[in-house]
Amino acid sequence: MSSTASGKNGTWRNWGGNVSARPAREVTPASVDELAAAVRQAAEDGLRIKAVGTGHSFTSIAATDGLLIRPQLLTGIRKIDRDAMTVTVEAGTPLKRLNVALAREGLSLTNMGDIMEQTVSGATSTGTHGTGRDSASIAAQIRALELVTADGSVLTCSEKENPDVFAAARIGLGALGVVTAITFAVEPLFLLTAREEPMPFEQVLADFDELWAENEHFEFYWFPHTGSTNTKRNNRSAGPAQPVGQLKGWFEDEFLSNGVFQVANWVGRAAPATIPSIARISSRALSARTYTDIPYKVFTSPRRVRFVEMEFAVPREAVVETLRELKAMVDRSGLRVSFPVEVRTAPADDITLSTASGRDSAYIAVHMFRGTPYQRYFTAAERIFTAHEGRPHWGKVHTRDAEYFAQVYPRFGEFTALRDRLDPERRLQNDYLRRVLGA
């Protein structure tokens, strides 16, 4: 996939193919000064401003009819500080390049999401996360930020400098400024042992608290129309490294998880009645395996089968009940769902609009194969999630608005007040931000 999702004749498209936009102007600045100048020029010309990453959001959070800023020249590591154990990286750097570069330096992020195609600023601005008992989202590992605000000035923030901006801008939704550099906390490179094994749905729910408490990183996938799940536990290991063999890795990660899965989804899209049978086969295709490797090789995996996704964070103590309701809904609905439901957790953090802000959270993600109608499934799922005060992922499909967010985010007003101060003329606004933050 190219580093930036795009289309022909000036149309920008996201990775999921469900959002497109036609910007009036595009720039690819090579420096912070160039970016700031482009922002000032856009303001003079009355154009709204949006920076895009790789288009991995399923919402229209990055869509604009004004100035589109592409970050692919703002890449690379600016500075490694081994005393403070931080690394400062340009905003357009893809996570995969950051992970490889850090590993080469004997360093690693503490936790990460399950794909690494996104830019560091796109991933953090939308609240991308993995799963963790004690370690939180990628944004929670940020120690400082540099951003160009709506008037073209460059602002740096951290816990000591502009702390109110820092509290919000780590997951800033592109509403507070254009992020140009991020300083992450890092640690010495370590090894993780992954244990993947099938487990009955009922057993996972019965033992969920234990599985969560006993593992640094626990997640599972439930296959709708079946009583089966695939569980994954990642824990730190003294070694030695025992990576997945190349052939076995290709067979399980490329052939089964991407190749055969793609074909199965094509069949399911053409003949929905076959989906429950395919789901039963899919849920049994991946056998148990254990391997030990450096973090990014364990946390992340390729995702080549295109899909559309909705994900909500519910309070962790509500996850079992929420999943039971979701399963009951699918069972009685007549829906045909070919993609597994993914369940992960995160500890509470202190970021204003983080989905885990102020509460221990569990994430439930529902997916549909690209090109299949997803509205009925997602609408029914969203009804269940919102009954539990669910908070939707900022980059995934949802229909919530500012009125709803004011109820589920105690510090929502803090964020909107900061936005009033940093972008009073709403230069950074688009339709999505108008809906989720209010006009």
Side-chain angles (χ1 to χ4, degrees):
M1 189 186 82
S2 69
S3 68
T4 312
S6 67
K8 298 175 183 63
N9 60 32
T11 304
W12 173 85
R13 279 183 206 292
N14 69 339
W15 182 85
N18 64 320
V19 177
S20 62
R22 290 190 69 114
R25 185 187 300 164
E26 287 192 27
V27 293
T28 310
S31 68
V32 176
D33 290 343
E34 263 183 49
L35 194 153
V39 166
R40 285 192 293 271
Q41 187 61 54
E44 273 177 47
D45 301 339
L47 292 177
R48 296 206 192 275
I49 302 151
K50 267 287 150 257
V52 296
T54 52
H56 269 269
S57 287
F58 300 98
T59 57
S60 53
I61 191 165
T64 187
D65 55 5
L67 172 68
L68 188 74
I69 299 172
R70 294 187 178 273
Q72 58 261 47
L73 298 181
L74 295 172
T75 60
I77 290 178
R78 269 192 200 177
K79 181 180 168 205
I80 295 175
D81 182 337
R82 289 186 186 269
D83 295 328
M85 284 306 274
T86 60
V87 58
T88 301
V89 60
E90 304 270 346
T93 310
L95 284 166
K96 58 183 169 192
R97 278 184 51 193
L98 174 63
N99 287 334
V100 170
L102 286 177
R104 211 178 282 142
E105 296 284 345
L107 301 168
S108 177
L109 293 170
T110 299
N111 198 357
M112 56 194 81
D114 57 7
I115 62 167
M116 53 177 179
E117 303 300 320
Q118 315 101 305
T119 61
V120 291
S121 58
T124 54
S125 295
T126 53
T128 298
H129 61 90
T131 189
R133 180 188 60 203
D134 313 304
S135 53
S137 71
I138 306 179
Q141 298 167 68
I142 295 177
R143 294 295 169 263
L145 276 177
E146 174 187 88
L147 66 163
V148 172
T149 56
D151 64 1
S153 53
V154 181
L155 185 72
T156 54
C157 60
S158 64
E159 276 177 3
K160 293 189 176 68
E161 195 180 359
N162 298 306
D164 55 337
V165 179
F166 183 67
R170 284 172 285 171
I171 299 180
L173 317 184
L176 305 175
V178 177
V179 175
T180 47
I182 300 176
T183 301
F184 289 106
V186 291
E187 56 178 306
L189 194 61
F190 54 94
L191 291 172
L192 283 171
T193 293
R195 193 171 138 205
E196 298 174 8
E197 63 175 338
M199 193 180 285
F201 181 76
E202 286 302 328
Q203 189 190 336
V204 175
L205 296 198
D207 298 347
F208 183 82
D209 289 341
E210 236 166 285
L211 288 161
W212 169 82
E214 287 171 5
N215 295 284
E216 289 172 68
H217 308 274
F218 174 68
E219 65 186 301
F220 70 94
Y221 296 87
W222 163 58
F223 295 83
H225 314 299
T226 77
S228 313
T229 76
N230 222 339
T231 62
K232 186 173 179 180
R233 304 165 222 207
N234 298 329
N235 289 288
R236 295 198 182 210
S237 160
Q242 287 179 310
V244 177
Q246 264 184 311
L247 182 62
K248 191 171 163 58
W250 175 84
F251 180 70
E252 289 172 345
D253 295 327
E254 289 297 332
F255 182 68
L256 288 179
S257 298
N258 285 299
V260 173
F261 192 52
Q262 175 86 43
V263 173
N265 273 283
W266 282 332
V267 171
R269 185 166 67 188
T274 61
I275 286 174
S277 317
I278 292 170
R280 283 191 289 275
I281 296 163
S282 297
S283 71
R284 288 196 293 261
L286 295 169
S287 50
R289 63 176 183 173
T290 301
Y291 52 96
T292 301
D293 213 329
I294 59 176
Y296 81 84
K297 295 189 176 179
V298 174
F299 284 131
T300 69
S301 49
R303 293 269 190 280
R304 300 194 213 292
V305 183
R306 304 268 171 145
F307 53 82
V308 179
E309 180 178 358
M310 166 183 278
E311 179 188 77
F312 272 73
V314 298
R316 202 186 65 237
E317 61 275 12
V319 66
V320 170
E321 191 188 334
T322 309
L323 284 164
R324 285 198 195 287
E325 290 168 18
L326 189 67
K327 185 174 190 299
M329 179 275 289
V330 171
D331 289 347
R332 65 166 186 266
S333 66
L335 286 165
R336 293 285 174 257
V337 181
S338 62
F339 253 82
V341 172
E342 184 181 20
V343 181
R344 295 174 290 171
T345 69
D349 65 41
D350 63 350
I351 303 171
T352 317
L353 290 188
S354 164
T355 43
S357 184
R359 74 181 190 195
D360 292 342
S361 301
Y363 295 94
I364 303 173
V366 296
H367 312 69
M368 278 296 243
F369 184 46
R370 179 160 128 178
T372 52
Y374 60 82
Q375 283 80 359
R376 215 177 114 218
Y377 177 37
F378 283 13
T379 301
E382 189 172 32
R383 201 172 294 136
I384 292 168
F385 299 147
T386 52
H388 293 281
E389 296 195 343
R391 298 168 176 171
H393 189 300
W394 297 107
K396 295 174 187 176
V397 177
H398 67 89
T399 66
R400 304 293 91 199
D401 60 14
E403 195 183 348
Y404 178 83
F405 292 124
Q407 293 165 7
V408 297
Y409 283 102
R411 298 165 64 193
F412 188 72
E414 229 176 277
F415 191 96
T416 53
L418 185 64
R419 179 188 185 216
D420 288 340
R421 196 181 95 210
L422 293 178
D423 185 16
E425 294 176 12
R426 300 291 186 262
R427 299 250 167 250
L428 299 162
Q429 181 157 279
N430 61 6
D431 292 342
Y432 180 76
L433 291 182
R434 191 178 293 113
R435 168 162 71 94
V436 301
L437 297 176

